Amino acid sequence: MSRPRFLPDNFTLALVFVVLLATFLPCKGEVAEAFSWATTLAIAMLFFFHGAKLPRQAVIEGLTHWRLHLTVLACTFVLFPVIGLLLKPALLLVVTPELYLGILFLCLLPSTVQSSIAFTAMARGNVPAAVCSASASNLLGIFLTPALVGLFIAKGSGNASVSFESIGNIVMQLLVPFISGQIARRWIARWVDEHRGALRYTDQGSILLVVYTAFSAAVIEGLWRETPWQALLALIVISSALLALVLALSAWGSRALGFNKEDEITIVFCGSKKSLASGVPIANVLFATHAVGAIVLPLMIFHQIQLMVCAVLAKRYASRSDGVEILEETSPTR
């Protein structure tokens, strides 16, 4: 029997299930400590396989397109944070201060890798450049995101900490496994390429484990008691509006800078994404345990919206004729 079209994908359903599980059966005490250790190991494995899956030749081919990469990085680490900061007065009228920190945190995160490349390929964009841009964004995000959190969040929040210890944790949990995966690719590349489908479950399982641990701590601290349902609805509207604004500005900016259609597609898809796979582990390292649930909630909502919207947008780009503008006809609310 075919899957009903109205159902979300399996990973989205799994995320919802994990949040419900943490809501009604949060882990506590020694169990929570064991989950914390398992989470650290899962995050290391996640970034090891990120490094192992990244083809070096594709990165080398894409490196020559430096104007495109700088544009993508500007969208990711300049445009998003500026929007998040400028909208603070308006956002605090409709969401709690904790959820606003989550919105600002997602604005400071790197781009996704897999979905950025997949949507660029689906839309007939510059795939080698997408591989390089998305990968560079993720690698730089290991350093830039903590720095931006320290600049814009940690100073005014007791829930975030960017110290030498947290930087060391970032390096040991994210960067070292990533580099190890790149080194090991020489010997395991064929095995990794043959098992990409199975390794996807490693990625997803790691995220689900971190989300369960984070939401368990947040629920125990009263996350749902302090988060009105109106704020959750506001998060959906805010995420949709934020994505629509960045999509429009990235498309307009790429055209104003003289990029061709293939490069515009790469900029739009790589510059508008935010990585759940990187964001959840980084939040787990930088923020107090009880605060992580509220911090990653806006990211989880934004992540699902960006996948649905960009799937529609990629199909519209793919069906384009020369000289026909696609983005202007596509609304993120459709």
Side-chain angles (χ1 to χ4, degrees):
M1 185 171 60
S2 61
R3 184 189 185 92
R5 295 184 61 184
F6 62 85
L7 277 182
D9 62 275
N10 290 335
F11 181 58
T12 301
L13 293 175
L15 274 174
V16 173
F17 173 78
V18 164
V19 171
L20 291 175
L21 182 64
T23 298
F24 295 105
L25 292 173
C27 58
K28 305 176 182 179
E30 293 182 358
V31 176
E33 186 175 348
F35 268 95
S36 178
W37 280 102
T39 295
T40 300
L41 178 61
I43 290 171
M45 289 181 59
L46 175 69
F47 277 81
F48 174 83
F49 285 117
H50 275 332
K53 288 185 287 188
L54 184 61
R56 297 177 194 173
Q57 187 58 39
V59 174
I60 293 172
E61 291 175 0
L63 279 173
T64 58
H65 211 340
W66 60 270
R67 287 181 65 246
L68 182 148
H69 304 317
L70 288 179
T71 304
V72 170
L73 291 175
C75 290
T76 303
F77 295 113
V78 178
L79 178 61
F80 261 106
V82 167
I83 293 174
L85 290 169
L86 290 178
L87 293 180
K88 179 179 180 178
L91 296 181
L92 286 176
L93 295 176
V94 292
V95 298
T96 64
E98 292 77 14
L99 290 180
Y100 169 72
L101 290 181
I103 294 170
L104 183 56
F105 175 68
L106 85 82
C107 290
L108 307 180
L109 287 172
S111 176
T112 61
V113 177
Q114 289 94 335
S115 62
S116 293
I117 297 168
F119 285 132
T120 299
M122 185 189 303
R124 296 191 287 131
N126 187 337
V127 176
V131 171
C132 182
S133 280
S135 302
S137 175
N138 255 250
L139 188 56
L140 290 173
I142 294 175
F143 303 101
L144 288 178
T145 295
L148 292 171
V149 167
L151 183 63
F152 297 123
I153 295 180
K155 290 182 179 180
S157 171
N159 294 325
S161 174
V162 182
S163 60
F164 285 113
E165 182 180 358
S166 62
I167 293 172
N169 289 337
I170 288 283
V171 171
M172 293 304 297
Q173 292 187 38
L174 309 185
L175 183 60
V176 171
F178 182 89
I179 294 175
S180 300
Q182 271 285 284
I183 295 172
R185 181 172 170 78
R186 177 179 179 181
W187 298 282
I188 65 174
R190 178 177 295 180
W191 183 87
V192 168
D193 291 339
E194 290 175 353
H195 295 84
R196 281 182 177 271
L199 290 176
R200 184 178 73 250
Y201 295 109
T202 301
D203 292 355
Q204 295 177 354
S206 301
I207 296 170
L208 293 173
L209 181 60
V210 176
V211 168
Y212 174 69
T213 306
F215 268 85
S216 291
V219 167
I220 292 172
E221 291 294 325
L223 171 65
W224 298 127
R225 291 194 304 270
E226 300 171 3
T227 306
W229 64 267
Q230 296 94 331
L232 294 176
L233 292 179
L235 277 180
I236 297 174
V237 175
I238 291 167
S239 296
S240 301
L242 178 61
L243 180 61
L245 182 58
V246 174
L247 285 171
L249 290 176
S250 59
W252 174 83
S254 62
R255 295 167 191 170
L257 291 171
F259 288 103
N260 61 30
K261 182 60 70 175
E262 288 72 24
D263 290 345
E264 174 193 322
I265 290 169
T266 302
I267 292 168
V268 166
F269 286 117
C270 293
S272 64
K273 296 285 196 313
K274 289 297 177 178
S275 175
L276 184 67
S278 296
V280 172
I282 291 174
N284 195 61
V285 173
L286 294 180
F287 294 91
T289 304
H290 67 272
V292 174
I295 292 295
V296 301
L297 183 58
L299 174 60
M300 291 170 60
I301 293 174
F302 184 87
H303 179 78
Q304 304 310 320
I305 292 174
Q306 73 181 6
L307 292 180
M308 292 185 290
V309 171
C310 289
V312 174
L313 185 58
K315 292 178 182 178
R316 297 294 299 273
Y317 266 125
S319 63
R320 71 187 182 276
S321 300
D322 291 342
V324 176
E325 303 295 340
I326 302 298
L327 186 60
E328 294 174 355
E329 302 173 6
T330 306
S331 169
T333 58
R334 292 181 183 177

